[in-house]
Amino acid sequence: MIETEELAGGVTRVTLTGKLDIAGANTIDLPFIVVMGSKRAVIVDLSRVSFVASMGLRTLIMGAKTVASKKGRMVLLSPTADVEDVLLTSGTNTLIPVLHDLDAAMAAVTA
Amino acid sequence: LPTRSSLDIPYSEAALAGVGPFVEQFAAGAGLRAQVSYALQLCLEEATANAVRHGAPAGGGSLPPVLLELRAEAGRVVATIRDHGLAFDPLRAPAPVSPATVADAVPGGLGIHLMRQFCRDIAYEREGDTNLLTLSFPA
């Protein structure tokens, strides 16, 4: 599931919920890319995502590329420990900043 | 407690989407820790996706389904993935290249790397026309 919320300063928080396995990534791919295509300062809240594998990473990286192509910024917020382990092991955190604090995330996407 | 389980995975995306739920159900039934369940789901989704998406020879043809077998033993869980697709040893796959920026990133290509990092042991054998991948995990 994907929910969007407009925060102060033109920042959008996109909250994903559930498993980003093959089935989950297939479900959110299109709506996620549509949102990313229309925003320039995006916080992707992963606190309700219980699982990410390579298909989910692909979704996140596609989104980040879309935002970056418009000179925008995207960060990942508050992944669970298991999900963060996958983000670090895959090196995704070197491409998309991973933060655990909303204020820091707001600052990172509006810098 | 169920300690053995198997799943036939035909060569389709719809069948691949069933792997995660199957593994999750096995892990819950075998009483595995959440971290082990996560690693199992991750590795087996990656391994079966590779077999189904890249294993069929050009031009198609009808291959028997990929067979995933799981068994919980004292102190470990062993998973085997058996398929009759093209010979492919994931242990010989090159490491993924780290892009400098997200603009340079090519989505995908991380599955084998993740699989190798999240299991305890991994072994590949080609037996006749069969790929046999064996992964083990701490229980």
Side-chain angles (χ1 to χ4, degrees):
Chain A
M1 192 168 72
I2 174 168
E3 292 171 83
T4 63
E5 176 189 5
E6 298 305 325
L7 306 177
V11 176
T12 304
R13 170 153 66 179
V14 178
T15 302
L16 304 179
T17 302
K19 293 177 75 173
L20 294 187
D21 56 3
I22 287 176
N26 281 343
T27 303
I28 70 149
D29 258 354
L30 185 58
F32 187 69
I33 284 295
V34 168
V35 172
M36 295 298 129
S38 64
K39 307 294 180 188
R40 293 192 63 228
V42 185
I43 297 169
V44 179
D45 188 331
L46 295 180
S47 60
R48 297 186 206 161
V49 171
S50 59
F51 181 91
V52 167
S54 65
M55 284 297 285
L57 296 178
R58 180 179 177 282
T59 300
L60 296 175
I61 291 170
M62 290 289 287
K65 287 178 71 76
T66 301
V67 174
S69 71
K70 299 172 298 176
K71 309 289 184 211
R73 291 170 189 265
M74 170 180 145
V75 300
L76 302 175
L77 179 66
S78 298
T80 63
D82 283 335
V83 168
E84 186 161 16
D85 197 9
V86 176
L87 296 172
L88 268 56
T89 302
S90 62
T92 304
N93 61 311
T94 66
L95 301 174
I96 314 172
V98 178
L99 299 162
H100 286 273
D101 177 81
L102 181 59
D103 289 340
M106 295 277 289
V109 295
T110 53
Chain B
L1 290 177
T3 54
R4 301 176 76 93
S5 198
S6 66
L7 179 71
D8 278 341
I9 307 160
Y11 282 72
S12 76
E13 284 295 314
L16 277 181
V19 171
F22 165 78
V23 175
E24 188 172 22
Q25 189 176 13
F26 173 85
L32 301 178
R33 288 179 289 121
Q35 199 177 13
V36 177
S37 174
Y38 194 111
L40 266 178
Q41 289 178 62
L42 183 146
C43 291
L44 299 179
E45 187 171 278
E46 305 296 357
T48 56
N50 275 335
V52 167
R53 291 181 180 154
H54 307 299
S62 60
L63 289 170
V66 174
L67 175 61
L68 168 61
E69 292 180 294
L70 289 167
R71 64 178 192 273
E73 301 174 344
R76 67 176 191 160
V77 178
V78 179
T80 61
I81 296 112
R82 208 179 293 268
D83 71 76
H84 303 283
L86 301 169
F88 177 68
D89 180 355
L91 304 181
R92 291 178 181 271
V97 177
S98 299
T101 70
V102 74
D104 301 327
V106 178
L110 294 167
I112 291 172
H113 174 67
L114 285 174
M115 181 174 74
R116 296 185 66 172
Q117 297 299 316
F118 278 81
C119 68
R120 184 166 65 186
D121 291 307
I122 181 167
Y124 170 81
E125 291 171 80
R126 179 77 176 176
E127 294 177 341
D129 70 347
T130 304
N131 292 308
L132 176 60
L133 190 64
T134 305
L135 298 98
S136 73
F137 302 82

